[in-house]
């Protein structure tokens, strides 16, 4: 082992950076969850008091509800749309590479730029969407002031960002299915719809499980979207828009830790949220696996 010290030395910068900026902060945040600290003063051990206050905190539970609603409104159409687009693209003969790039570009676009664009498009007074609705005689819609429409706009933004990513994964899975299976199904008289649900879907189930898990993790971590849409910063403590309808759990963590300087409570929020994400991932895993067994 010591004879390969040069190789270990060559890869050591990655592990040093990972340990300093990823591994250590994770466990230090767990330590802070049981402390009270404003970032400058003395750290005071408080045990489970942070989590007791968290349990009775109505704003925390409101942020959980907001996050779950946005997650459902974005994840379901994202995965469904990605599967439909992948199926259509799989059958395309010409310009397949162009379509792949065009549909994947939103995922590599800056989320801040996309959020600013969506804020302009769905603006209550001067937005493009309301301008189009006005041409057909429909009065302006309060996209960024109505509690449910705020969640819908954030969900649309996330759907636009992640549909192309999941489509590429589904397309790779479709291309891995042997064509002989479809030829045998056509010889047996199976139509396109029956082929899709009885051949394509069962074979694609492990890939769908992967995208469900990844979409659960990514969808529940929405932060930049509401922060940029509503200009959230230290001078604007009313995070998440009017009535805090777009206040997600990570945005509430940001408010608690970096606006209110309560790092212990912020750490408690993210660890409680981490447990919730793991529970939802396990539930999704069991549901998809149960369908696979049946």
């Amino acid at each position: 082992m010591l004879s390969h010290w040069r190789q270990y030395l060559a890869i050591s910068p990655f592990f040093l950076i990972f340990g300093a900026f990823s591994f250590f902060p994770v466990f230090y945040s767990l330590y802070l969850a049981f402390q009270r600290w404003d970032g400058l003063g003395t750290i005071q051990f408080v045990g489970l008091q942070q989590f007791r206050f968290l349990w009775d905190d109505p704003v925390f539970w409101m942020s959980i509800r907001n996050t779950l609603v946005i997650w459902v409104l974005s994840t379901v159409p994202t995965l469904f749309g990605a599967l439909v687009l992948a199926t259509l693209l799989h059958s395309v003969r010409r310009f397949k590479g162009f379509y792949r790039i065009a549909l994947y570009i939103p995922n590599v676009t800056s989320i801040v730029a996309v959020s600013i664009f969506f804020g302009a498009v769905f603006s209550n007074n001067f937005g493009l969407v309301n301008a189009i609705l006005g041409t057909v005689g429909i009065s302006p819609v309060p996209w960024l002031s109505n509690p449910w429409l705020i969640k819908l706009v954030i969900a649309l933004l996330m759907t636009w960002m992640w549909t192309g990513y999941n489509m590429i994964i589904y397309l790779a899975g479709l291309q891995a299915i042997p064509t002989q299976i479809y030829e045998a199904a056509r010889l047996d008289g199976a139509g396109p719809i029956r082929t899709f649900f009885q051949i394509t879907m069962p074979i694609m189930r492990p890939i769908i499980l992967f995208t469900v898990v990844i979409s659960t993790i990514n969808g529940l971590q929405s932060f930049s979207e509401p922060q940029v849409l509503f200009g959230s910063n230290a001078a604007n403590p009313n995070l998440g828009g009017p009535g805090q309808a777009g206040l997600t759990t990570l945005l509430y963590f940001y408010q608690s830790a970096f606006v209110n300087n309560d790092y212990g409570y912020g750490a408690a929020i993210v660890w409680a949220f981490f447990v919730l994400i793991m529970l939802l991932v396990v539930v999704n895993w069991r549901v998809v696996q149960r369908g696979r067994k049946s």
Side-chain angles (χ1 to χ4, degrees):
M1 182 175 179
L2 293 177
S3 61
H4 299 289
W5 67 270
R6 293 181 180 85
Q7 288 82 351
Y8 288 113
L9 181 63
I11 64 175
S12 62
F14 166 79
F15 292 100
L16 292 174
I17 294 173
F18 175 80
F21 295 101
S22 295
F23 189 79
F24 172 74
V26 166
F27 287 95
Y28 189 68
S29 68
L30 180 60
Y31 165 76
L32 282 181
F34 300 95
Q35 319 293 325
R36 180 178 289 115
W37 186 45
D38 61 0
L40 295 175
T42 304
I43 298 178
Q44 178 186 358
F45 177 75
V46 294
L48 296 175
Q49 288 185 16
Q50 304 281 23
F51 293 97
R52 293 193 188 101
F53 181 78
L54 187 71
W55 183 262
D56 297 325
D57 185 2
V59 180
F60 171 73
W61 292 109
M62 179 185 68
S63 72
I64 291 289
R65 290 193 297 271
N66 291 343
T67 303
L68 292 177
V69 170
I70 293 170
W71 169 63
V72 172
L73 290 176
S74 62
T75 301
V76 173
T78 294
L79 297 183
F80 177 77
L83 187 58
V84 171
L85 288 174
T87 304
L88 294 175
L89 188 56
H90 184 57
S91 61
V92 170
R93 299 295 182 183
R94 302 178 62 184
F95 306 112
K96 184 174 291 188
F98 169 78
Y99 292 129
R100 288 180 186 174
I101 296 173
L103 292 171
Y104 188 73
I105 280 179
N107 186 251
V108 298
T109 306
S110 168
I111 191 170
V112 174
V114 174
S115 299
I116 294 174
F117 173 76
F118 266 71
V121 169
F122 288 96
S123 174
N124 291 343
N125 299 321
F126 307 105
L128 177 63
V129 174
N130 278 339
I132 295 174
L133 293 177
T135 60
V136 294
I138 300 177
S139 58
V141 178
W143 297 104
L144 300 182
S145 57
N146 180 276
W148 277 99
L149 293 179
I150 286 173
K151 297 179 179 64
L152 180 61
V153 171
I154 297 174
L156 286 173
L157 194 162
M158 297 171 64
T159 300
W160 191 82
M161 288 285 296
W162 289 101
T163 299
Y165 170 82
N166 290 284
M167 181 213 66
I168 292 295
I169 296 175
Y170 288 150
L171 182 61
L174 291 172
Q175 292 176 339
I177 301 176
T179 57
Q180 294 84 349
I181 298 178
Y182 291 111
E183 293 174 357
R186 283 195 294 270
L187 291 175
D188 290 338
I193 297 178
R194 184 178 177 185
T195 300
F196 179 78
F197 283 102
Q198 295 190 1
I199 296 178
T200 304
M201 289 295 290
I203 296 176
M204 291 281 292
R205 194 177 297 275
I207 299 175
I208 294 175
L209 172 61
F210 170 78
T211 58
V212 167
V213 171
I214 295 299
S215 297
T216 299
I217 296 173
N218 289 331
L220 291 173
Q221 296 185 64
S222 54
F223 168 76
S224 299
E225 299 89 348
Q227 186 194 33
V228 177
L229 273 175
F230 301 104
S232 304
N233 50 54
N236 178 21
N238 187 30
L239 304 186
Q244 296 185 313
L247 180 68
T248 61
T249 306
L250 288 188
L251 197 55
Y252 185 45
F253 152 73
Y254 166 81
Q255 181 188 43
S256 299
F258 300 106
V259 176
N260 300 333
N261 294 324
D262 192 348
Y263 293 94
Y265 190 56
I269 291 173
V270 292
W271 275 98
F273 192 51
F274 170 77
V275 173
L276 175 63
I277 291 177
M278 290 298 100
L279 287 174
L280 290 175
V281 168
V282 171
V283 169
N284 286 330
W285 182 283
R286 295 296 298 271
V287 168
V288 178
Q289 286 291 81
R290 182 176 300 176
R292 183 181 181 184
K293 293 177 181 178
S294 63

